[in-house]
Amino acid sequence: MKIDAITIFPEYFSPLQLSLLGKAQEKELLSITVHNLRDFSTNNHHSVDDTPYGGGAGMVMSPEIWGSALDPLMLEDTDLIILTPAGKVFDQQMAQEFAGSSHLVFACGRYEGIDYRVGEYYSHPQFVAQSIRVHEVSIGNYVLGGGEVAALVMIEAITRLIPGVLGNPESLAEESHNEEGFLEYPNYTKPANWRGIAVPEVLLGGNHALIATWRAAQAQVRAQKCD
Ligand code: ADE
């Protein structure tokens, strides 16, 4: 999978070099390129935004600069993800869908967001014909300072689903068993008694069928508590 992220704060993406994601890039399962939007600004101050038509607070990011940054990345078979609190809320199912993509481009807006025409433009039939798909995505119903953290969250959730990225592929298999909105069962490790709290008895015996039943029930209890 190839990932491009466009931002005015490339430093936000340095955690992608760590841990399993760093290793996945070394193994070439994944290639992540971060682009500085300011490099595409042609004015003297390298500014990327302007005042909103119709008035109102804040600034809006210029479609011209976004167009210059995005054009070279809009290759055949690409998912363009525009991060915005007004987008469709990201979840595990969406992560699964994006994990099957060959090229993801994350457009990280700041201020009052990116001029709306950018998403409209890359949705035109000429781009649809090249299998370019535009998605407006939010990671939750709250407003962040910009799309960078949202892109990081999405990249982590999506890339761990790519075969070979996770150290232990069995963890993925267990998650997919719990697909129907179930959260995972509670986990315990040694010691068997910690500060007076004992590990549930069933986990200490070796009855795997009983353990599986207990875990399924616990996962359901947890899911209900979250409703
Ligand atoms: N930008 C600001 N808030 C956001 C959110 N909740 N999700 C995605 N992008 C955002």
Side-chain angles (χ1 to χ4, degrees), residues 4-55:
D4 290 285
I6 309 171
T7 170
I8 55 167
F9 294 121
E11 297 84 356
Y12 258 102
F13 290 87
S14 47
L16 295 177
Q17 301 312 317
L18 303 173
S19 183
L20 292 175
L21 274 188
K23 290 211 183 80
Q25 290 173 84
E26 280 169 26
K27 286 195 267 176
E28 296 183 1
L29 293 170
L30 196 63
S31 130
I32 305 178
T33 312
V34 181
H35 310 262
N36 191 338
L37 183 69
R38 285 197 200 281
D39 292 345
F40 299 88
S41 171
T42 49
N43 60 60
N44 288 342
H45 299 102
H46 292 286
S47 72
V48 294
D49 56 353
D50 213 326
T51 52
Y53 276 118

mmCIF file of all heavy atoms in Angstrom, residues 4-55:
data_model
loop_
_atom_site.group_PDB
_atom_site.id
_atom_site.type_symbol
_atom_site.label_atom_id
_atom_site.label_comp_id
_atom_site.label_asym_id
_atom_site.label_seq_id
_atom_site.Cartn_x
_atom_site.Cartn_y
_atom_site.Cartn_z
ATOM 1 N N ASP A 4 0.033 8.740 0.934
ATOM 2 C CA ASP A 4 0.541 10.105 0.912
ATOM 3 C C ASP A 4 -0.290 10.923 1.886
ATOM 4 O O ASP A 4 -1.504 10.764 1.962
ATOM 5 C CB ASP A 4 0.407 10.708 -0.497
ATOM 6 C CG ASP A 4 1.373 10.076 -1.492
ATOM 7 O OD1 ASP A 4 2.558 10.404 -1.424
ATOM 8 O OD2 ASP A 4 0.920 9.256 -2.323
ATOM 9 N N ALA A 5 0.372 11.804 2.634
ATOM 10 C CA ALA A 5 -0.357 12.708 3.521
ATOM 11 C C ALA A 5 0.110 14.126 3.214
ATOM 12 O O ALA A 5 1.316 14.371 3.085
ATOM 13 C CB ALA A 5 -0.092 12.349 4.978
ATOM 14 N N ILE A 6 -0.843 15.037 3.085
ATOM 15 C CA ILE A 6 -0.504 16.439 2.812
ATOM 16 C C ILE A 6 -0.946 17.270 4.009
ATOM 17 O O ILE A 6 -2.083 17.153 4.484
ATOM 18 C CB ILE A 6 -1.207 16.950 1.542
ATOM 19 C CG1 ILE A 6 -0.949 15.988 0.383
ATOM 20 C CG2 ILE A 6 -0.736 18.354 1.184
ATOM 21 C CD1 ILE A 6 -1.803 16.315 -0.836
ATOM 22 N N THR A 7 -0.032 18.122 4.480
ATOM 23 C CA THR A 7 -0.242 18.828 5.736
ATOM 24 C C THR A 7 0.635 20.081 5.765
ATOM 25 O O THR A 7 1.636 20.148 5.053
ATOM 26 C CB THR A 7 0.157 17.897 6.915
ATOM 27 O OG1 THR A 7 0.177 18.643 8.136
ATOM 28 C CG2 THR A 7 1.566 17.302 6.727
ATOM 29 N N ILE A 8 0.283 21.032 6.632
ATOM 30 C CA ILE A 8 1.234 22.126 6.849
ATOM 31 C C ILE A 8 2.150 21.805 8.045
ATOM 32 O O ILE A 8 3.041 22.585 8.367
ATOM 33 C CB ILE A 8 0.560 23.509 7.045
ATOM 34 C CG1 ILE A 8 -0.463 23.489 8.174
ATOM 35 C CG2 ILE A 8 -0.053 24.009 5.742
ATOM 36 C CD1 ILE A 8 -0.906 24.896 8.605
ATOM 37 N N PHE A 9 1.902 20.671 8.713
ATOM 38 C CA PHE A 9 2.739 20.261 9.843
ATOM 39 C C PHE A 9 3.263 18.831 9.647
ATOM 40 O O PHE A 9 2.832 17.897 10.334
ATOM 41 C CB PHE A 9 1.947 20.327 11.157
ATOM 42 C CG PHE A 9 1.546 21.723 11.554
ATOM 43 C CD1 PHE A 9 0.207 22.050 11.720
ATOM 44 C CD2 PHE A 9 2.498 22.704 11.751
ATOM 45 C CE1 PHE A 9 -0.168 23.343 12.089
ATOM 46 C CE2 PHE A 9 2.132 23.998 12.121
ATOM 47 C CZ PHE A 9 0.794 24.317 12.287
ATOM 48 N N PRO A 10 4.240 18.653 8.748
ATOM 49 C CA PRO A 10 4.751 17.301 8.495
ATOM 50 C C PRO A 10 5.255 16.603 9.766
ATOM 51 O O PRO A 10 5.193 15.376 9.869
ATOM 52 C CB PRO A 10 5.905 17.532 7.515
ATOM 53 C CG PRO A 10 5.642 18.860 6.898
ATOM 54 C CD PRO A 10 4.920 19.670 7.930
ATOM 55 N N GLU A 11 5.717 17.399 10.752
ATOM 56 C CA GLU A 11 6.276 16.807 11.983
ATOM 57 C C GLU A 11 5.248 15.949 12.715
ATOM 58 O O GLU A 11 5.609 15.040 13.470
ATOM 59 C CB GLU A 11 6.767 17.906 12.944
ATOM 60 C CG GLU A 11 7.897 18.751 12.392
ATOM 61 C CD GLU A 11 7.421 19.917 11.507
ATOM 62 O OE1 GLU A 11 6.195 20.035 11.249
ATOM 63 O OE2 GLU A 11 8.286 20.700 11.050
ATOM 64 N N TYR A 12 3.973 16.253 12.543
ATOM 65 C CA TYR A 12 2.927 15.472 13.198
ATOM 66 C C TYR A 12 3.029 13.995 12.861
ATOM 67 O O TYR A 12 2.548 13.147 13.592
ATOM 68 C CB TYR A 12 1.541 15.936 12.723
ATOM 69 C CG TYR A 12 0.805 16.821 13.703
ATOM 70 C CD1 TYR A 12 0.744 18.198 13.527
ATOM 71 C CD2 TYR A 12 0.136 16.263 14.795
ATOM 72 C CE1 TYR A 12 0.052 19.010 14.406
ATOM 73 C CE2 TYR A 12 -0.549 17.061 15.682
ATOM 74 C CZ TYR A 12 -0.594 18.431 15.489
ATOM 75 O OH TYR A 12 -1.280 19.224 16.362
ATOM 76 N N PHE A 13 3.630 13.690 11.703
ATOM 77 C CA PHE A 13 3.608 12.311 11.210
ATOM 78 C C PHE A 13 4.832 11.504 11.611
ATOM 79 O O PHE A 13 4.965 10.359 11.219
ATOM 80 C CB PHE A 13 3.415 12.316 9.683
ATOM 81 C CG PHE A 13 2.019 12.760 9.301
ATOM 82 C CD1 PHE A 13 1.716 14.099 9.148
ATOM 83 C CD2 PHE A 13 1.011 11.816 9.158
ATOM 84 C CE1 PHE A 13 0.430 14.507 8.826
ATOM 85 C CE2 PHE A 13 -0.287 12.209 8.838
ATOM 86 C CZ PHE A 13 -0.577 13.560 8.670
ATOM 87 N N SER A 14 5.721 12.111 12.440
ATOM 88 C CA SER A 14 6.934 11.366 12.805
ATOM 89 C C SER A 14 6.647 10.067 13.569
ATOM 90 O O SER A 14 7.422 9.119 13.432
ATOM 91 C CB SER A 14 7.939 12.252 13.530
ATOM 92 O OG SER A 14 7.305 12.990 14.511
ATOM 93 N N PRO A 15 5.550 9.945 14.343
ATOM 94 C CA PRO A 15 5.313 8.647 15.017
ATOM 95 C C PRO A 15 5.167 7.470 14.042
ATOM 96 O O PRO A 15 5.302 6.323 14.448
ATOM 97 C CB PRO A 15 3.998 8.853 15.779
ATOM 98 C CG PRO A 15 3.845 10.324 15.915
ATOM 99 C CD PRO A 15 4.549 10.945 14.747
ATOM 100 N N LEU A 16 4.926 7.754 12.788
ATOM 101 C CA LEU A 16 4.757 6.660 11.817
ATOM 102 C C LEU A 16 6.050 5.881 11.592
ATOM 103 O O LEU A 16 6.042 4.806 10.999
ATOM 104 C CB LEU A 16 4.248 7.201 10.482
ATOM 105 C CG LEU A 16 2.846 7.803 10.518
ATOM 106 C CD1 LEU A 16 2.463 8.366 9.157
ATOM 107 C CD2 LEU A 16 1.825 6.759 10.957
ATOM 108 N N GLN A 17 7.174 6.443 12.072
ATOM 109 C CA GLN A 17 8.448 5.724 11.929
ATOM 110 C C GLN A 17 8.638 4.691 13.037
ATOM 111 O O GLN A 17 9.547 3.875 12.988
ATOM 112 C CB GLN A 17 9.628 6.711 11.958
ATOM 113 C CG GLN A 17 9.575 7.770 10.875
ATOM 114 C CD GLN A 17 9.287 7.176 9.503
ATOM 115 O OE1 GLN A 17 9.836 6.155 9.128
ATOM 116 N NE2 GLN A 17 8.378 7.810 8.756
ATOM 117 N N LEU A 18 7.773 4.753 14.058
ATOM 118 C CA LEU A 18 7.964 3.903 15.236
ATOM 119 C C LEU A 18 7.308 2.542 15.076
ATOM 120 O O LEU A 18 6.416 2.365 14.250
ATOM 121 C CB LEU A 18 7.338 4.584 16.472
ATOM 122 C CG LEU A 18 7.828 5.983 16.828
ATOM 123 C CD1 LEU A 18 7.004 6.558 17.958
ATOM 124 C CD2 LEU A 18 9.303 5.951 17.184
ATOM 125 N N SER A 19 7.743 1.617 15.908
ATOM 126 C CA SER A 19 7.036 0.356 16.141
ATOM 127 C C SER A 19 6.707 -0.401 14.861
ATOM 128 O O SER A 19 7.490 -0.426 13.921
ATOM 129 C CB SER A 19 5.783 0.684 16.958
ATOM 130 O OG SER A 19 5.085 -0.470 17.289
ATOM 131 N N LEU A 20 5.524 -1.013 14.835
ATOM 132 C CA LEU A 20 5.179 -1.913 13.730
ATOM 133 C C LEU A 20 5.070 -1.179 12.404
ATOM 134 O O LEU A 20 5.377 -1.732 11.348
ATOM 135 C CB LEU A 20 3.858 -2.622 14.041
ATOM 136 C CG LEU A 20 3.933 -3.616 15.204
ATOM 137 C CD1 LEU A 20 2.551 -4.182 15.512
ATOM 138 C CD2 LEU A 20 4.901 -4.740 14.874
ATOM 139 N N LEU A 21 4.636 0.084 12.449
ATOM 140 C CA LEU A 21 4.506 0.839 11.196
ATOM 141 C C LEU A 21 5.871 1.142 10.590
ATOM 142 O O LEU A 21 6.036 1.105 9.374
ATOM 143 C CB LEU A 21 3.749 2.145 11.437
ATOM 144 C CG LEU A 21 2.237 2.009 11.366
ATOM 145 C CD1 LEU A 21 1.564 3.370 11.406
ATOM 146 C CD2 LEU A 21 1.866 1.285 10.091
ATOM 147 N N GLY A 22 6.834 1.445 11.447
ATOM 148 C CA GLY A 22 8.203 1.667 10.976
ATOM 149 C C GLY A 22 8.739 0.399 10.320
ATOM 150 O O GLY A 22 9.317 0.435 9.225
ATOM 151 N N LYS A 23 8.509 -0.737 11.000
ATOM 152 C CA LYS A 23 8.981 -2.032 10.472
ATOM 153 C C LYS A 23 8.288 -2.363 9.153
ATOM 154 O O LYS A 23 8.926 -2.870 8.223
ATOM 155 C CB LYS A 23 8.700 -3.145 11.486
ATOM 156 C CG LYS A 23 9.575 -3.064 12.722
ATOM 157 C CD LYS A 23 9.841 -4.461 13.290
ATOM 158 C CE LYS A 23 10.646 -4.362 14.564
ATOM 159 N NZ LYS A 23 9.768 -4.009 15.719
ATOM 160 N N ALA A 24 6.992 -2.095 9.070
ATOM 161 C CA ALA A 24 6.232 -2.394 7.847
ATOM 162 C C ALA A 24 6.807 -1.613 6.664
ATOM 163 O O ALA A 24 6.835 -2.097 5.536
ATOM 164 C CB ALA A 24 4.760 -2.065 8.040
ATOM 165 N N GLN A 25 7.291 -0.394 6.948
ATOM 166 C CA GLN A 25 7.902 0.392 5.869
ATOM 167 C C GLN A 25 9.257 -0.187 5.482
ATOM 168 O O GLN A 25 9.592 -0.236 4.302
ATOM 169 C CB GLN A 25 8.020 1.857 6.282
ATOM 170 C CG GLN A 25 6.657 2.535 6.368
ATOM 171 C CD GLN A 25 6.751 3.933 6.933
ATOM 172 O OE1 GLN A 25 7.031 4.891 6.229
ATOM 173 N NE2 GLN A 25 6.516 4.055 8.227
ATOM 174 N N GLU A 26 10.021 -0.627 6.501
ATOM 175 C CA GLU A 26 11.312 -1.276 6.195
ATOM 176 C C GLU A 26 11.096 -2.525 5.354
ATOM 177 O O GLU A 26 11.865 -2.812 4.442
ATOM 178 C CB GLU A 26 12.032 -1.666 7.492
ATOM 179 C CG GLU A 26 12.747 -0.505 8.157
ATOM 180 C CD GLU A 26 13.208 -0.868 9.559
ATOM 181 O OE1 GLU A 26 13.434 -2.072 9.839
ATOM 182 O OE2 GLU A 26 13.326 0.058 10.388
ATOM 183 N N LYS A 27 10.027 -3.257 5.678
ATOM 184 C CA LYS A 27 9.722 -4.500 4.938
ATOM 185 C C LYS A 27 9.054 -4.213 3.591
ATOM 186 O O LYS A 27 8.689 -5.141 2.876
ATOM 187 C CB LYS A 27 8.789 -5.399 5.771
ATOM 188 C CG LYS A 27 9.469 -6.091 6.932
ATOM 189 C CD LYS A 27 8.614 -7.240 7.493
ATOM 190 C CE LYS A 27 7.742 -6.771 8.656
ATOM 191 N NZ LYS A 27 6.825 -7.797 9.174
ATOM 192 N N GLU A 28 8.832 -2.929 3.329
ATOM 193 C CA GLU A 28 8.207 -2.478 2.080
ATOM 194 C C GLU A 28 6.792 -3.021 1.869
ATOM 195 O O GLU A 28 6.332 -3.167 0.739
ATOM 196 C CB GLU A 28 9.108 -2.779 0.870
ATOM 197 C CG GLU A 28 10.411 -1.983 0.962
ATOM 198 C CD GLU A 28 11.336 -2.155 -0.224
ATOM 199 O OE1 GLU A 28 10.975 -2.887 -1.163
ATOM 200 O OE2 GLU A 28 12.417 -1.543 -0.209
ATOM 201 N N LEU A 29 6.114 -3.287 2.976
ATOM 202 C CA LEU A 29 4.692 -3.637 2.890
ATOM 203 C C LEU A 29 3.900 -2.349 2.700
ATOM 204 O O LEU A 29 2.743 -2.354 2.305
ATOM 205 C CB LEU A 29 4.222 -4.289 4.195
ATOM 206 C CG LEU A 29 4.803 -5.652 4.526
ATOM 207 C CD1 LEU A 29 4.456 -6.059 5.946
ATOM 208 C CD2 LEU A 29 4.246 -6.661 3.529
ATOM 209 N N LEU A 30 4.579 -1.251 3.017
ATOM 210 C CA LEU A 30 3.920 0.033 3.144
ATOM 211 C C LEU A 30 4.925 1.114 2.787
ATOM 212 O O LEU A 30 6.098 0.987 3.124
ATOM 213 C CB LEU A 30 3.567 0.165 4.638
ATOM 214 C CG LEU A 30 2.572 1.191 5.085
ATOM 215 C CD1 LEU A 30 1.225 0.861 4.469
ATOM 216 C CD2 LEU A 30 2.466 1.137 6.606
ATOM 217 N N SER A 31 4.448 2.143 2.061
ATOM 218 C CA SER A 31 5.338 3.266 1.822
ATOM 219 C C SER A 31 4.549 4.551 2.114
ATOM 220 O O SER A 31 3.464 4.757 1.579
ATOM 221 C CB SER A 31 5.846 3.186 0.381
ATOM 222 O OG SER A 31 5.680 4.395 -0.276
ATOM 223 N N ILE A 32 5.069 5.337 3.056
ATOM 224 C CA ILE A 32 4.343 6.534 3.486
ATOM 225 C C ILE A 32 5.159 7.773 3.130
ATOM 226 O O ILE A 32 6.332 7.876 3.495
ATOM 227 C CB ILE A 32 4.070 6.521 5.012
ATOM 228 C CG1 ILE A 32 3.340 5.228 5.414
ATOM 229 C CG2 ILE A 32 3.250 7.739 5.418
ATOM 230 C CD1 ILE A 32 3.056 5.098 6.908
ATOM 231 N N THR A 33 4.562 8.715 2.396
ATOM 232 C CA THR A 33 5.243 9.964 2.056
ATOM 233 C C THR A 33 4.419 11.131 2.594
ATOM 234 O O THR A 33 3.214 11.206 2.359
ATOM 235 C CB THR A 33 5.388 10.112 0.525
ATOM 236 O OG1 THR A 33 5.899 8.890 -0.008
ATOM 237 C CG2 THR A 33 6.314 11.252 0.162
ATOM 238 N N VAL A 34 5.105 12.013 3.332
ATOM 239 C CA VAL A 34 4.424 13.188 3.883
ATOM 240 C C VAL A 34 4.857 14.410 3.075
ATOM 241 O O VAL A 34 6.048 14.598 2.810
ATOM 242 C CB VAL A 34 4.769 13.352 5.384
ATOM 243 C CG1 VAL A 34 4.045 14.563 5.963
ATOM 244 C CG2 VAL A 34 4.391 12.080 6.150
ATOM 245 N N HIS A 35 3.902 15.216 2.649
ATOM 246 C CA HIS A 35 4.179 16.387 1.818
ATOM 247 C C HIS A 35 3.807 17.656 2.575
ATOM 248 O O HIS A 35 2.752 17.701 3.215
ATOM 249 C CB HIS A 35 3.340 16.342 0.530
ATOM 250 C CG HIS A 35 3.434 15.037 -0.205
ATOM 251 N ND1 HIS A 35 4.288 14.859 -1.272
ATOM 252 C CD2 HIS A 35 2.793 13.850 -0.012
ATOM 253 C CE1 HIS A 35 4.145 13.614 -1.718
ATOM 254 N NE2 HIS A 35 3.252 12.978 -0.981
ATOM 255 N N ASN A 36 4.661 18.668 2.467
ATOM 256 C CA ASN A 36 4.363 19.946 3.112
ATOM 257 C C ASN A 36 3.566 20.830 2.148
ATOM 258 O O ASN A 36 4.064 21.224 1.085
ATOM 259 C CB ASN A 36 5.676 20.635 3.496
ATOM 260 C CG ASN A 36 5.415 21.827 4.409
ATOM 261 O OD1 ASN A 36 4.319 22.382 4.427
ATOM 262 N ND2 ASN A 36 6.431 22.206 5.164
ATOM 263 N N LEU A 37 2.329 21.133 2.536
ATOM 264 C CA LEU A 37 1.447 21.919 1.664
ATOM 265 C C LEU A 37 2.071 23.271 1.299
ATOM 266 O O LEU A 37 1.877 23.782 0.202
ATOM 267 C CB LEU A 37 0.089 22.138 2.356
ATOM 268 C CG LEU A 37 -0.956 22.882 1.546
ATOM 269 C CD1 LEU A 37 -1.457 22.041 0.374
ATOM 270 C CD2 LEU A 37 -2.131 23.310 2.423
ATOM 271 N N ARG A 38 2.850 23.834 2.250
ATOM 272 C CA ARG A 38 3.438 25.169 1.993
ATOM 273 C C ARG A 38 4.385 25.156 0.795
ATOM 274 O O ARG A 38 4.599 26.182 0.157
ATOM 275 C CB ARG A 38 4.183 25.681 3.223
ATOM 276 C CG ARG A 38 3.244 26.145 4.304
ATOM 277 C CD ARG A 38 3.944 27.011 5.332
ATOM 278 N NE ARG A 38 3.164 27.021 6.552
ATOM 279 C CZ ARG A 38 2.081 27.759 6.750
ATOM 280 N NH1 ARG A 38 1.645 28.570 5.804
ATOM 281 N NH2 ARG A 38 1.415 27.691 7.880
ATOM 282 N N ASP A 39 4.947 23.999 0.487
ATOM 283 C CA ASP A 39 5.842 23.901 -0.670
ATOM 284 C C ASP A 39 5.102 24.217 -1.974
ATOM 285 O O ASP A 39 5.733 24.476 -2.993
ATOM 286 C CB ASP A 39 6.445 22.493 -0.782
ATOM 287 C CG ASP A 39 7.408 22.188 0.356
ATOM 288 O OD1 ASP A 39 7.817 23.139 1.052
ATOM 289 O OD2 ASP A 39 7.730 20.998 0.560
ATOM 290 N N PHE A 40 3.783 24.152 -1.947
ATOM 291 C CA PHE A 40 2.994 24.389 -3.158
ATOM 292 C C PHE A 40 2.420 25.799 -3.209
ATOM 293 O O PHE A 40 1.735 26.168 -4.142
ATOM 294 C CB PHE A 40 1.870 23.350 -3.265
ATOM 295 C CG PHE A 40 2.406 21.956 -3.354
ATOM 296 C CD1 PHE A 40 2.662 21.211 -2.204
ATOM 297 C CD2 PHE A 40 2.712 21.396 -4.585
ATOM 298 C CE1 PHE A 40 3.190 19.937 -2.284
ATOM 299 C CE2 PHE A 40 3.239 20.118 -4.681
ATOM 300 C CZ PHE A 40 3.476 19.391 -3.523
ATOM 301 N N SER A 41 2.713 26.583 -2.175
ATOM 302 C CA SER A 41 2.242 27.968 -2.127
ATOM 303 C C SER A 41 3.179 28.834 -2.972
ATOM 304 O O SER A 41 4.397 28.696 -2.889
ATOM 305 C CB SER A 41 2.233 28.450 -0.677
ATOM 306 O OG SER A 41 1.978 29.832 -0.655
ATOM 307 N N THR A 42 2.607 29.706 -3.791
ATOM 308 C CA THR A 42 3.447 30.499 -4.690
ATOM 309 C C THR A 42 3.623 31.924 -4.187
ATOM 310 O O THR A 42 4.346 32.705 -4.790
ATOM 311 C CB THR A 42 2.855 30.528 -6.108
ATOM 312 O OG1 THR A 42 1.475 30.868 -5.999
ATOM 313 C CG2 THR A 42 3.002 29.189 -6.809
ATOM 314 N N ASN A 43 2.941 32.278 -3.096
ATOM 315 C CA ASN A 43 3.095 33.666 -2.639
ATOM 316 C C ASN A 43 4.284 33.815 -1.693
ATOM 317 O O ASN A 43 4.815 32.832 -1.160
ATOM 318 C CB ASN A 43 1.793 34.182 -2.019
ATOM 319 C CG ASN A 43 1.379 33.348 -0.828
ATOM 320 O OD1 ASN A 43 2.127 33.255 0.132
ATOM 321 N ND2 ASN A 43 0.206 32.722 -0.905
ATOM 322 N N ASN A 44 4.678 35.069 -1.500
ATOM 323 C CA ASN A 44 5.915 35.366 -0.764
ATOM 324 C C ASN A 44 5.913 34.844 0.660
ATOM 325 O O ASN A 44 6.949 34.475 1.199
ATOM 326 C CB ASN A 44 6.148 36.887 -0.719
ATOM 327 C CG ASN A 44 6.558 37.412 -2.083
ATOM 328 O OD1 ASN A 44 6.990 36.620 -2.939
ATOM 329 N ND2 ASN A 44 6.412 38.713 -2.295
ATOM 330 N N HIS A 45 4.751 34.861 1.281
ATOM 331 C CA HIS A 45 4.683 34.463 2.698
ATOM 332 C C HIS A 45 4.405 32.977 2.873
ATOM 333 O O HIS A 45 4.228 32.510 3.986
ATOM 334 C CB HIS A 45 3.622 35.288 3.426
ATOM 335 C CG HIS A 45 3.921 36.752 3.406
ATOM 336 N ND1 HIS A 45 3.279 37.631 2.544
ATOM 337 C CD2 HIS A 45 4.819 37.486 4.112
ATOM 338 C CE1 HIS A 45 3.774 38.834 2.719
ATOM 339 N NE2 HIS A 45 4.714 38.783 3.659
ATOM 340 N N HIS A 46 4.346 32.239 1.763
ATOM 341 C CA HIS A 46 4.018 30.803 1.809
ATOM 342 C C HIS A 46 2.699 30.557 2.525
ATOM 343 O O HIS A 46 2.524 29.532 3.193
ATOM 344 C CB HIS A 46 5.138 29.987 2.469
ATOM 345 C CG HIS A 46 6.386 29.943 1.644
ATOM 346 N ND1 HIS A 46 6.493 29.174 0.505
ATOM 347 C CD2 HIS A 46 7.559 30.615 1.772
ATOM 348 C CE1 HIS A 46 7.676 29.364 -0.027
ATOM 349 N NE2 HIS A 46 8.349 30.247 0.708
ATOM 350 N N SER A 47 1.783 31.514 2.432
ATOM 351 C CA SER A 47 0.499 31.309 3.096
ATOM 352 C C SER A 47 -0.344 30.344 2.274
ATOM 353 O O SER A 47 -0.139 30.165 1.063
ATOM 354 C CB SER A 47 -0.224 32.638 3.307
ATOM 355 O OG SER A 47 -0.688 33.124 2.078
ATOM 356 N N VAL A 48 -1.251 29.670 2.965
ATOM 357 C CA VAL A 48 -2.048 28.613 2.321
ATOM 358 C C VAL A 48 -3.549 28.865 2.464
ATOM 359 O O VAL A 48 -4.352 28.049 2.043
ATOM 360 C CB VAL A 48 -1.706 27.228 2.933
ATOM 361 C CG1 VAL A 48 -0.276 26.812 2.614
ATOM 362 C CG2 VAL A 48 -1.940 27.237 4.440
ATOM 363 N N ASP A 49 -3.896 30.000 3.088
ATOM 364 C CA ASP A 49 -5.308 30.221 3.380
ATOM 365 C C ASP A 49 -5.728 31.634 3.021
ATOM 366 O O ASP A 49 -4.894 32.490 2.696
ATOM 367 C CB ASP A 49 -5.581 29.954 4.866
ATOM 368 C CG ASP A 49 -4.697 30.807 5.774
ATOM 369 O OD1 ASP A 49 -3.795 31.498 5.261
ATOM 370 O OD2 ASP A 49 -4.902 30.779 6.980
ATOM 371 N N ASP A 50 -7.023 31.886 3.053
ATOM 372 C CA ASP A 50 -7.560 33.197 2.731
ATOM 373 C C ASP A 50 -8.888 33.373 3.464
ATOM 374 O O ASP A 50 -9.415 32.409 4.023
ATOM 375 C CB ASP A 50 -7.739 33.323 1.206
ATOM 376 C CG ASP A 50 -7.511 34.749 0.721
ATOM 377 O OD1 ASP A 50 -7.847 35.697 1.479
ATOM 378 O OD2 ASP A 50 -6.999 34.919 -0.400
ATOM 379 N N THR A 51 -9.427 34.595 3.420
ATOM 380 C CA THR A 51 -10.678 34.860 4.145
ATOM 381 C C THR A 51 -11.868 34.196 3.442
ATOM 382 O O THR A 51 -11.858 34.016 2.234
ATOM 383 C CB THR A 51 -10.929 36.376 4.222
ATOM 384 O OG1 THR A 51 -10.830 36.898 2.878
ATOM 385 C CG2 THR A 51 -9.903 37.071 5.083
ATOM 386 N N PRO A 52 -12.879 33.803 4.214
ATOM 387 C CA PRO A 52 -14.009 33.088 3.615
ATOM 388 C C PRO A 52 -14.961 34.017 2.840
ATOM 389 O O PRO A 52 -15.282 35.105 3.327
ATOM 390 C CB PRO A 52 -14.738 32.480 4.815
ATOM 391 C CG PRO A 52 -14.310 33.284 5.997
ATOM 392 C CD PRO A 52 -12.982 33.907 5.684
ATOM 393 N N TYR A 53 -15.363 33.585 1.653
ATOM 394 C CA TYR A 53 -16.445 34.279 0.948
ATOM 395 C C TYR A 53 -17.684 34.230 1.818
ATOM 396 O O TYR A 53 -17.973 33.204 2.439
ATOM 397 C CB TYR A 53 -16.753 33.587 -0.389
ATOM 398 C CG TYR A 53 -15.845 34.015 -1.512
ATOM 399 C CD1 TYR A 53 -15.021 33.086 -2.143
ATOM 400 C CD2 TYR A 53 -15.844 35.348 -1.951
ATOM 401 C CE1 TYR A 53 -14.192 33.468 -3.183
ATOM 402 C CE2 TYR A 53 -15.011 35.732 -2.990
ATOM 403 C CZ TYR A 53 -14.197 34.796 -3.603
ATOM 404 O OH TYR A 53 -13.376 35.173 -4.633
ATOM 405 N N GLY A 54 -18.424 35.340 1.874
ATOM 406 C CA GLY A 54 -19.646 35.385 2.671
ATOM 407 C C GLY A 54 -19.385 35.803 4.101
ATOM 408 O O GLY A 54 -20.312 35.961 4.889
ATOM 409 N N GLY A 55 -18.086 35.992 4.435
ATOM 410 C CA GLY A 55 -17.731 36.463 5.773
ATOM 411 C C GLY A 55 -17.716 35.343 6.791
ATOM 412 O O GLY A 55 -17.909 34.174 6.456
#
